[in-house]
Structures are given as C-alpha cells and as structure tokens.
Amino acid sequence: MGAKFEALDELFDDSLTLPFGDTEYVIPSPSAEDGLRVQKITSLAARLQSGGEAVDTTLLDDEEERDLLALCLGPVLEEMLSDGITWSRVRHAGLTAMFWIVSGPDVAERYWKTGGDPSQWAPNRETRRAQKKSGSGTASKTRSRGSTSGTSGRKGSGKGRRGGTT
C-alpha cells in the first residue's frame, strides 16, 4: 500500500496577504498556466543575469510590465489601482507576489521587508565579518594538526618518524 499524505488544502494557504496601512490585500494564487508563464519570464531573467549580462529592465515595455503584474496580482491589481495606491507600491506588491509565485513565501517576505532594495538582500561586509567573529567563527580559529611526514621543519630527535634515523 502506498503512502497517504495529508490533504494539500490543510498544508498551505493559496494566498498571499500584503498589508498597506489598515488595508490588507489578499492575492490569490495564479492559475497553473499563469504561474508557469511567470516562472518562464523570471527564469529568462535569471539566465541572463547568471550569464553575466545585466538584466535589462526595459525588456518589458509598460504594457508587458502591467501584464506581468496582472499575472502576479490577479484581481487585486485593479482593486489597488481603484484604491489609489501609487504605482511604486503596486509594483512592489506585484514583484513581491512574483517572488512568492516563483520562490515561495520566505523569499517574498524578504523582498517585501527590504523595500525591493537589492543591497539589503545580502548582509554587508561588516555584518558578515561580525557573524564570522561570533559563534560559528570560533571553530575556524582552531589550528589544524600539522603534517607528520617529517617536512614540517620542526627540529627534534627524529625518533618515531618514518624514514628517520634511530
């Protein structure tokens, strides 16, 4: 008999809730077809960037960018626009939803909290150095045992060394 899993509906919520002051916008999960389209668009951008090319932000014209945000935000896009939410905030919400669709809630939350500022995604040099000095960095300060092949340059009697004279 095969393994039986819990019902998928009990494991996760198919929506993303983004707060704007006192208002919360609940973005539904896109259809499978739309989700695949978003995945394809982001995969293309990632391949361009990993190949060393700077991602050209003009790859999408205004209409295509609106279409991408419509795919990501679904019916919430029109609701946000009719509520008078500014474009920069609509765009931030749309890109947050894009990260949610492609990479999950943890990545989306990190994007949301950094205001979309890429410099905030990775810790800066000072933070990384501080992390190395604390906790996990202590083990790396322990010196490794030297070679016992007799080439360490240490002077001694030579006893017990392979190839040494006795």
Side-chain angles (χ1 to χ4, degrees), residues 48-79:
L48 287 172
Q49 190 173 30
S50 69
E53 296 181 40
V55 176
D56 183 1
T57 56
T58 61
L59 282 176
L60 301 177
D61 62 26
D62 290 345
E63 187 176 327
E64 291 168 328
E65 184 174 13
R66 184 182 165 101
D67 289 346
L68 174 61
L69 294 181
L71 286 173
C72 296
L73 293 172
V76 174
L77 174 61
E78 292 306 321
E79 185 181 346

Side-chain angles (χ1 to χ4, degrees), residues 111-159:
Y111 180 82
W112 177 261
K113 286 182 175 181
T114 62
D117 181 358
S119 68
Q120 298 298 312
W121 277 64
N124 63 25
R125 184 181 303 172
E126 186 177 324
T127 304
R128 288 192 308 265
R129 285 181 180 164
Q131 288 172 346
K132 285 182 181 178
K133 287 180 182 178
S134 68
S136 62
T138 58
S140 64
K141 293 180 183 177
T142 305
R143 299 183 99 186
S144 62
R145 184 175 168 184
S147 170
T148 59
S149 67
T151 61
S152 67
R154 212 167 73 179
K155 293 184 179 181
S157 67
K159 290 183 179 177

